[in-house]
């Protein structure tokens, strides 16, 4: 029987790559639902090609917009069209759905992702912010419901592939980081960075928010927290390793001195195909790396002075409770302000640090308490951004 998929965030970078892999295996998968937030034109085109049973948009107005576009295509059979948060939750928990690709960016993806976990789905997790915010709650919910949580983030997918099937013996996780576009830039030069420069990642083509996170290295900070939850290790057991070529996607170091690594081209279809097919394997559309003709591989230490984001994430993870929620919320506010031209690049991590120092962290035992901390942090981060206004 075919596996029915819901793709949350279908119109984004991960969503598009997921549909590319799915289209290569029409005998195995069918698309149950596709969701979009702004790009209704792309969603209409995806509906034409992939024929989902349901499409979810953000507003009632967009429902009309999508119907008009589908009519213009001359479609006779339309998907059901839902809108808003309830629509996202509905397609994440629907009985017909086997697996949910969680590829909405940021906190907006938390509720549908958590509901998919709660209803015992196979959840392919790209939306790292959802796990950073809900941590123990998401992991305990998965344990209770029997949901399978499979990492799509390339580093965590690599660690998952290198993780021992039985027993212990792991000494540490080494998360690789390309270093982003400003790896060798001075502190002074970092204050002049424009959104266009920050979004031009040297190795990966990604959405704008994660591109900025990669440039500040907050992406690696969020990934450190993500790794702690997914693999149940303390932050002290996770090391960040700069690897500009981005061909080794991460490693697991064992007590016997073995280092296991996963390698491949910088193409998210590899981890997506792995998670979709798991525990089997099938094609992703990406060829094997030709090691004899790749550039030499380099590995180096992270410069924590120029890139303080990883330290902030380590501290947030170690202090526990709602601190990672504050870190994530402040970062989302600061990145949006930077992309809008209201904040300098080097001020992003300052806003995060100041917000972490000022917001009471509370607990995160359910969606309501998480939302409370998230909102308090957003309000405080907004004030911090205002304080930096030119
Ligand atoms: P993107 O900006 O390209 O796409 C985001 C998707 O989320 C879009 O479909 C958009 O419609 C939807 N969305 C945005 N705001 C929304 C809201 N408020 N409500 C509902 N839907 C909303 O982002 P992306 O690069 O595809 O990243 C998606 C997630 O995957 C992020 O959490 C990112 O950190 C993670 N991730 C991405 C990559 C990558 O290579 N792009 C790699 C690893 C992890
Ligand atoms: Mg990653």
């Amino acid at each position: 029987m075919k596996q029915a998929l819901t793709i949350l965030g279908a119109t984004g970078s991960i969503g598009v790559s997921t549909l590319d892999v799915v289209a290569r295996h029409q005998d195995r998968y069918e698309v149950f639902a596709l969701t979009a937030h702004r790009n209704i034109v792309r969603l209409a085109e995806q509906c034409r090609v992939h024929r989902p049973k349901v499409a979810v948009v953000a507003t009632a107005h967009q429902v009309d917009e999508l119907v008009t576009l589908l009519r213009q295509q001359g479609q006779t059979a339309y998907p059901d069209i839902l809108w808003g948060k309830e629509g996202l939750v509905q397609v994440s928990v629907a009985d017909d759905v086997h697996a949910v690709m969680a590829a909405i960016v940021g906190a907006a993806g938390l509720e549908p992702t958590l509901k998919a976990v709660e209803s015992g789905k196979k959840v392919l997790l790209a939306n790292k912010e959802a796990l950073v915010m809900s941590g123990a709650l998401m992991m305990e919910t998965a344990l209770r419901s029997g949901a399978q949580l499979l990492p799509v983030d390339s580093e965590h997918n690599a660690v998952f592939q290198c993780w021992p099937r039985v027993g212990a013996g792991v000494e540490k996780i080494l998360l690789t980081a390309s270093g982003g576009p400003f790896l060798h830039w001075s502190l002074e030069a970092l204050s002049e960075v424009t959104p266009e420069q920050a979004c031009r990642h040297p190795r990966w083509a990604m959405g704008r928010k994660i591109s900025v996170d990669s440039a500040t290295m907050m992406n690696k900070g969020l990934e450190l927290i993500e790794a702690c939850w997914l693999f149940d290790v303390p932050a002290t057991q996770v090391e960040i390793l700069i690897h500009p070529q981005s061909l080794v996607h991460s490693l697991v170091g064992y007590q016997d001195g073995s280092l296991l690594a996963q390698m491949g081209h910088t193409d998210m279809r590899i981890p997506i195909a792995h998670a979709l097919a798991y525990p089997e394997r099938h094609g992703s559309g990406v060829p094997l790396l030709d090691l004899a003709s790749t550039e030499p591989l380099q590995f180096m230490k992270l410069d924590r002075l120029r890139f303080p984001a990883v330290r902030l994430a380590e501290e947030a993870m170690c202090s526990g409770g709602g601190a990672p929620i504050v870190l994530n919320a402040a970062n989302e506010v600061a990145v949006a302000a930077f992309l809008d031209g209201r904040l300098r690049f080097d001020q992003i991590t300052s806003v995060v640090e100041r917000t972490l120092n000022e917001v009471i962290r509370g607990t995160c035992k359910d969606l309501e308490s998480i939302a409370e901390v998230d909102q308090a942090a957003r309000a405080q981060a907004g004030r911090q951004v205002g304080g930096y206004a030119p």
Side-chain angles (χ1 to χ4, degrees), residues 167-183:
V170 170
E171 190 166 306
K172 62 178 168 183
I173 288 173
L174 292 108
L175 289 184
T176 52
S178 71
F182 312 127
L183 180 57

Side-chain angles (χ1 to χ4, degrees), residues 218 221 225 304 308-317 327 348-354 356:
M218 184 55 85
I225 297 175
R304 288 171 170 262
V310 172
R311 169 182 58 81
L312 296 178
E314 280 165 354
E315 288 170 5
M317 188 62 202
L327 175 94
I348 296 174
T349 43
S350 308
V351 166
V352 175
E353 182 152 28
R354 289 174 180 208
L356 273 166

Side-chain angles (χ1 to χ4, degrees), residues 260-283:
L260 297 195
Q262 184 262 355
M263 299 180 71
H265 284 286
T266 48
D267 190 322
M268 287 305 292
R269 289 178 300 172
I270 298 175
I272 290 168
H274 174 267
L276 275 170
Y278 184 81
E280 296 171 19
R281 299 245 182 196
H282 62 41

Side-chain angles (χ1 to χ4, degrees), residues 177-186 189-190 193-204 206 210-217 219 244 246 306-307 338 345:
S178 71
F182 312 127
L183 180 57
H184 302 296
W185 287 36
S186 68
L190 286 176
V193 162
T194 65
E196 283 59 43
Q197 287 172 316
C199 289
R200 217 177 298 133
H201 195 276
R203 301 281 164 179
W204 297 93
M206 309 180 285
I210 185 177
S211 295
V212 176
D213 284 349
S214 299
T216 59
M217 297 281 245
N219 184 48
S246 297
R306 279 182 307 132
F307 298 103
F338 166 68
F345 179 80

Side-chain angles (χ1 to χ4, degrees), residues 5-291:
L5 307 176
T6 280
I7 303 175
L8 300 170
T11 51
S13 165
I14 292 288
V16 168
S17 294
T18 304
L19 285 169
D20 180 280
V21 177
V22 166
R24 292 165 194 275
H25 302 281
Q26 291 180 12
D27 52 325
R28 294 180 68 130
Y29 307 114
E30 65 189 12
V31 178
F32 176 81
L34 297 176
T35 87
H37 191 57
R38 289 219 176 89
N39 197 341
I40 307 304
V41 171
R42 181 174 288 170
L43 179 65
E45 176 59 15
Q46 291 179 333
C47 288
R48 186 183 68 75
V49 176
H50 300 282
R51 305 279 169 156
K53 291 199 170 62
V54 189
V56 186
V57 294
T59 63
H61 173 72
Q62 288 175 340
V63 174
D64 300 335
E65 203 182 323
L66 181 59
V67 169
T68 308
L69 288 167
L70 292 172
R71 256 196 215 125
Q72 282 168 5
Q73 290 171 355
Q75 297 288 316
T76 45
Y78 297 167
D80 293 335
I81 306 176
L82 307 175
W83 62 275
K85 243 190 198 173
E86 292 78 42
L88 294 175
V89 171
Q90 248 174 283
V91 297
S92 303
V93 305
D95 286 342
D96 290 348
V97 172
H98 176 81
V100 175
M101 165 57 84
I104 289 176
V105 60
L110 173 61
E111 188 171 347
T113 304
L114 198 57
K115 295 288 181 193
V117 172
E118 207 173 275
S119 61
K121 305 295 184 203
K122 171 173 168 175
V123 177
L124 284 55
L125 187 75
N127 180 202
K128 65 193 85 181
E129 296 93 343
L131 181 57
V132 167
M133 293 175 75
S134 62
L137 175 64
M138 187 176 292
M139 298 313 290
E140 284 161 16
T141 305
L143 214 56
R144 240 192 347 266
S145 70
Q148 203 175 20
L149 203 53
L150 294 168
V152 169
D153 212 348
S154 57
E155 296 77 2
H156 306 74
N157 183 271
V159 171
F160 183 70
Q161 293 195 46
C162 300
W163 201 247
R165 291 293 157 240
V166 283
V170 170
E171 190 166 306
K172 62 178 168 183
I173 288 173
L174 292 108
L175 289 184
T176 52
S178 71
F182 312 127
L183 180 57
H184 302 296
W185 287 36
S186 68
L187 269 176
E188 299 72 53
L190 286 176
S191 66
E192 305 288 322
V193 162
T194 65
E196 283 59 43
Q197 287 172 316
C199 289
R200 217 177 298 133
H201 195 276
R203 301 281 164 179
W204 297 93
M206 309 180 285
R208 284 168 76 77
K209 193 262 178 181
I210 185 177
S211 295
V212 176
D213 284 349
S214 299
T216 59
M217 297 281 245
M218 184 55 85
N219 184 48
K220 220 40 64 176
L222 298 173
E223 290 184 354
L224 177 135
I225 297 175
E226 186 186 8
C228 291
W229 288 118
L230 284 172
F231 302 104
D232 193 20
V233 296
T236 48
Q237 246 180 305
V238 184
E239 189 179 316
I240 308 298
L241 191 61
I242 301 291
H243 167 47
Q245 294 74 30
S246 297
L247 297 176
V248 174
H249 296 304
S250 278
L251 310 91
V252 176
Y254 285 86
Q255 286 160 357
D256 62 8
S258 302
L259 273 179
L260 297 195
Q262 184 262 355
M263 299 180 71
H265 284 286
T266 48
D267 190 322
M268 287 305 292
R269 289 178 300 172
I270 298 175
I272 290 168
H274 174 267
L276 275 170
Y278 184 81
E280 296 171 19
R281 299 245 182 196
H282 62 41
S284 64
V286 187
L288 286 176
L289 261 181
D290 176 4
L291 284 173

